[in-house]
Amino acid sequence: MLVVRPTRPADLPALERLAGNASPRLTNLPAHRDRLEERIMRSQRAFEAEVEFPGDEHYTFVLEDLERGEVVGTATVRAQAGAREAYYTYRQETLIHASQQLDVRREVQTLSLSHEVSEASLLCAYSLDPRYRGTSAESLLRRARLMFIAQYPERFAEILAMAFPGFLDDDQQSPFWNSVGRHFFQRDYQEINYVAGVRSKSFIAEVMPQFPLYLALLTPQARAAIGREHPDHEAALDEMLAEGFLRSRHVDIFDAGPVIKAERERLESFRRAAWHPVRIRPAHSLPDAEPAMVANQRLDDFRCVVARYALSPTGQLMLSPEHAERLGVEEGRAVLAAPLGLPGDAHDPGYDEGEL
């Protein structure tokens, strides 16, 4: 039985393990005990606070396997990516270089520092125990955050964003970093990735060149890495594109990994979610039905599980006693449910029209 819930202090050893095992190592989930302890405390404050609009709140969730008694995953939502300091990305742009005298007109691709994503709510810091990869646990942990945002929209921005880890070579080095950032920091990718996680990425943007980077001047390997996700995150990117996210023209300033964005109301989990009163029935008597994410409506005791989307003729969601107990709901209480499956071709995974 798996459940997504807010993190608490007792989860610290599990978060350390998940941060250390993340593939690749994540800037926004450093394997640093003090930073992780601070993350837990910050999350607790966010869940307890009265919030009318998004600010510097960080909501950190964990996935717990109740049968094993283990925390096996974690994921975070930053209510406003740039609430404390600007959230920098590189934006892909096109410049026109022309000369009438020489009869030359060239379109040149560039990257420009940007902090446009700062206003978005950022889904980040996702790590799952390898034993659960390829199972419904992946989707539950990744998308339970959307079920929480759907219930408390005032706490989050209208635009949601996700930054995916970028491509690394066989030596776990970033071709993009080696072609750009390394010239200004004289540190390899893994070292600077850890430093940025313990501090922040803003100091990198302060040292990086402020003028546009001409892609033609980068190495072929660096150009090929722009907007390319790490192989371990290909399935995750595909799922979120099916959810309704779109590729943006923004990429990470570190490794040029892709940044995707969406208006939250256009996402499948928002459009297909519905409230249902609960009817509790023995598990063996529940009809077959597609799996769904089911969430209670408690703020600081949020719970989300995968259960059958089995509805009675009067629209009640039939749950087993075990699922009702995990959610902390009684018969007659309302829960929010959304199908776990996503239509594979519901959205064109091209660029957001607003980015063109």
Side-chain angles (χ1 to χ4, degrees):
M1 180 75 73
L2 301 175
V3 60
V4 173
R5 59 165 175 80
T7 188
R8 51 192 183 220
D11 300 328
L12 180 58
L15 292 187
E16 286 186 284
R17 184 182 70 254
L18 291 165
N21 292 335
S23 176
R25 293 293 181 92
L26 302 176
T27 306
N28 52 33
L29 188 64
H32 188 284
R33 188 177 184 87
D34 289 346
R35 295 287 81 77
L36 293 173
E37 190 171 25
E38 178 185 331
R39 179 185 297 260
I40 293 172
M41 296 298 103
R42 190 174 193 175
S43 178
Q44 286 191 306
R45 291 194 299 269
F47 279 102
E48 294 169 356
E50 294 185 9
V51 176
E52 298 180 357
F53 51 86
D56 194 27
E57 299 83 27
H58 288 203
Y59 302 88
T60 296
F61 301 86
V62 295
L63 176 68
E64 184 176 4
D65 186 328
L66 297 172
E67 292 182 354
R68 293 177 180 267
E70 282 185 66
V71 168
V72 297
T74 184
T76 295
V77 185
R78 291 166 60 177
Q80 190 177 68
R84 178 174 293 185
E85 55 193 15
Y87 182 83
Y88 285 98
T89 61
Y90 272 124
R91 178 182 168 94
Q92 302 178 73
E93 298 178 346
T94 302
L95 297 181
I96 305 297
H97 286 236
S99 170
Q100 290 184 347
Q101 290 181 333
L102 298 177
D103 191 25
V104 172
R105 183 185 185 279
R106 294 291 303 277
E107 292 187 358
V108 181
Q109 305 303 311
T110 67
L111 294 175
S112 297
L113 275 178
S114 169
H115 49 74
E116 295 173 18
V117 183
S118 293
E119 297 299 315
S121 291
L122 188 68
L123 281 68
C124 60
Y126 176 99
S127 180
L128 181 67
D129 188 301
R131 294 172 295 176
Y132 295 81
R133 291 173 189 164
T135 71
S136 61
E138 286 190 305
S139 292
L140 174 61
L141 177 59
R142 190 173 294 120
R143 293 168 51 215
R145 293 173 291 183
L146 301 179
M147 299 291 281
F148 182 78
I149 295 171
Q151 294 194 48
Y152 305 99
E154 72 281 358
R155 292 175 173 260
F156 302 95
E158 293 289 339
I159 301 296
L160 306 182
M162 294 183 71
F164 284 84
F167 174 78
L168 303 181
D169 62 22
D170 292 339
D171 296 323
Q172 297 304 297
Q173 293 296 312
S174 165
F176 182 79
W177 175 259
N178 288 340
S179 187
V180 180
R182 188 181 179 93
H183 296 297
F184 299 89
F185 286 89
Q186 297 296 315
R187 298 187 183 186
D188 67 24
Y189 174 75
Q190 297 297 343
E191 183 180 4
I192 200 70
N193 192 43
Y194 178 78
V195 172
V198 174
R199 299 179 186 175
S200 74
K201 286 187 179 180
S202 64
F203 77 91
I204 296 174
E206 293 167 358
V207 178
M208 296 287 269
Q210 300 298 307
F211 298 102
L213 300 177
Y214 284 73
L215 267 59
L217 301 180
L218 304 183
T219 65
Q221 295 85 351
R223 293 197 299 270
I226 295 172
R228 183 179 175 186
E229 70 278 9
H230 189 280
D232 288 352
H233 292 258
E234 290 176 358
L237 178 57
D238 288 343
E239 179 179 42
M240 300 317 285
L241 292 177
E243 175 70 63
F245 281 86
L246 296 173
R247 292 181 181 270
S248 74
R249 296 205 179 276
H250 296 267
V251 297
D252 186 81
I253 62 173
F254 247 2
D255 54 25
V259 176
I260 60 176
K261 296 166 64 178
E263 297 176 17
R264 66 190 189 197
E265 299 303 328
R266 296 176 61 178
L267 297 177
E268 291 292 330
S269 293
F270 284 73
R271 296 171 57 243
R272 301 165 72 194
W275 289 98
H276 301 282
V278 169
R279 176 185 288 182
I280 300 175
R281 291 292 181 268
H284 65 82
S285 68
L286 298 181
D288 288 335
E290 64 178 342
M293 297 179 293
V294 182
N296 66 11
Q297 52 180 322
R298 297 181 182 179
L299 174 59
D300 58 354
D301 197 26
F302 175 80
R303 297 287 188 275
C304 187
V305 302
V306 172
R308 299 179 196 174
Y309 209 154
L311 297 180
S312 71
T314 55
Q316 294 171 306
L317 182 66
M318 292 183 280
L319 293 178
S320 68
E322 293 78 15
H323 279 118
E325 180 182 358
R326 300 314 177 212
L327 288 167
V329 296
E330 300 138 1
E331 187 150 320
R333 297 286 293 182
V335 292
L336 185 66
L340 184 67
L342 290 168
D345 57 355
H347 295 275
D348 176 9
Y351 284 112
D352 181 349
E353 292 179 2
E355 296 283 346
L356 296 177

